[in-house]
Amino acid sequence: MSRPRSAQPDARAVLRSGLPDRYLTPDDIADMFGVPLETVYQWRRKRTGPPGFRIGKHLRYDPTDVHAYVIQRKSACQDAA
């Protein structure tokens, strides 16, 4: 059973303040990056977003991998400037 969305902590604040003690959902990723949920699934299909993995039929993201993805993107943007 899932918790109501309002009961979940802000995903961006969680990532800034430290790594959460749970795997992130596609909804968390969409909230974190401020993009529609469909964008997260497109990133997955195109292999352009943070790496995810499946637990049965559920897609999850390791917070460490998401953090590394953000660092990599920031570095790429700085190198291009």
Side-chain angles (χ1 to χ4, degrees):
M1 187 164 169
S2 64
R3 295 186 291 182
R5 281 180 67 86
S6 61
Q8 294 179 339
D10 177 29
R12 287 173 290 190
V14 169
L15 190 60
R16 280 193 300 269
S17 65
L19 298 174
D21 60 352
R22 63 177 178 83
Y23 291 118
L24 302 171
T25 66
D27 284 327
D28 292 331
I29 299 299
D31 289 345
M32 189 178 300
F33 291 108
V35 299
L37 183 59
E38 182 56 33
T39 299
V40 175
Y41 289 117
Q42 287 177 11
W43 288 344
R44 173 102 169 129
R45 283 190 296 274
K46 295 177 181 178
R47 300 180 192 265
T48 59
F53 61 95
R54 291 233 173 246
I55 300 286
K57 66 178 183 176
H58 303 284
L59 179 59
R60 295 293 181 258
Y61 295 85
D62 187 324
T64 306
D65 293 340
V66 174
H67 189 261
Y69 170 78
V70 169
I71 298 299
Q72 176 191 25
R73 296 295 301 152
K74 287 170 72 173
S75 176
C77 288
Q78 290 172 352
D79 291 344

